[in-house]
Amino acid sequence: MLCLNIRSTYPRIGLHTQQAWVEEASVKPAELSTNYEAPRADIWPAGVVVDIDSYPSRHSYGAETMTDFTRDHGQQGISDVQEGTSGHTQNAWDMIENAATKHGGNRIAAQAKSKLAEQISQQRMLVAESIPAPVITVTPSTMQGNIDTGKDEVSIQTYAEANIVAHPGTVQTYLAQQGSIRMWTTEGQYDIYA
């Protein structure tokens, strides 16, 4: 019996590679600079001011300034002086005219009695009035001065230069072994070593 022997060899491809590499690199780094001034609060409080005007209260029960007293009672004083002068003049004429008569008696005592009786017979009135409240003015505390917000500045200087010598990688391919197919015949058995 005739046997067909076949032997095949596969082709092989070889690769030779070299990686990329950088021979020299020179890069100037970026520069960061800051300018900082701390904020300051140059402020202070102005104190609260309380002004109490109690004069309306005091004036209602008789405590007056000299200006108010003279304004309110000046005309009354002039009227009282005129009335007193007139009364003294009448009393003097009364004493002169009645002292000479036999019924004149003690005219000074009689005048004093008459005046006292007149004062007792006067009706007194009690007037109740409310005392006005004092006027209170409050000026609230305020903050004065200025606030300095300070400074916080950051600047970055970048450089667009980089000196680089780069060598690209390479790949070489070659045929390390050629492929082949051999066929032959043998009689009675297969040739496994051929």
Side-chain angles (χ1 to χ4, degrees):
M1 165 167 142
L2 193 60
C3 295
L4 176 64
N5 295 294
I6 299 174
R7 181 174 180 179
S8 62
T9 303
Y10 296 108
R12 278 188 308 152
I13 296 175
L15 292 175
H16 179 68
T17 61
Q18 184 177 0
Q19 291 185 348
W21 58 286
V22 177
E23 183 177 331
E24 181 181 328
S26 170
V27 179
K28 191 171 181 182
E31 293 177 3
L32 173 71
S33 61
T34 61
N35 181 11
Y36 177 73
E37 290 180 18
R40 291 183 312 136
D42 187 19
I43 57 174
W44 63 91
V48 65
V49 177
V50 179
D51 182 31
I52 301 174
D53 183 10
S54 61
Y55 183 70
S57 310
R58 292 183 292 115
H59 182 66
S60 69
Y61 51 83
E64 295 180 318
T65 62
M66 189 53 71
T67 303
D68 286 345
F69 182 81
T70 53
R71 185 185 65 236
D72 295 344
H73 301 291
Q75 193 59 40
Q76 178 71 35
I78 293 171
S79 173
D80 288 349
V81 167
Q82 289 173 347
E83 186 181 323
T85 305
S86 174
H88 290 310
T89 305
Q90 286 177 0
N91 289 340
W93 280 111
D94 183 43
M95 286 183 203
I96 293 170
E97 291 173 356
N98 294 324
T101 63
K102 57 180 171 175
H103 300 299
N106 189 351
R107 292 310 299 161
I108 294 174
Q111 287 174 2
K113 236 188 222 184
S114 162
K115 188 172 183 182
L116 185 60
E118 186 180 312
Q119 286 178 350
I120 291 172
S121 68
Q122 285 181 353
Q123 290 187 353
R124 303 262 179 197
M125 272 178 140
L126 182 62
V127 178
E129 293 181 352
S130 65
I131 297 174
V135 178
I136 300 173
T137 307
V138 177
T139 305
S141 174
T142 57
M143 297 303 285
Q144 297 179 349
N146 297 314
I147 295 177
D148 181 5
T149 56
K151 253 193 235 179
D152 191 5
E153 298 174 347
V154 177
S155 61
I156 300 172
Q157 176 67 46
T158 58
Y159 300 97
E161 294 180 5
N163 297 324
I164 298 173
V165 178
H167 297 280
T170 59
V171 177
Q172 294 176 348
T173 60
Y174 58 93
L175 187 58
Q177 176 182 321
Q178 290 188 352
S180 65
I181 298 176
R182 284 180 60 214
M183 293 185 285
W184 70 96
T185 58
T186 55
E187 187 71 32
Q189 61 179 4
Y190 287 107
D191 185 2
I192 58 171
Y193 298 106

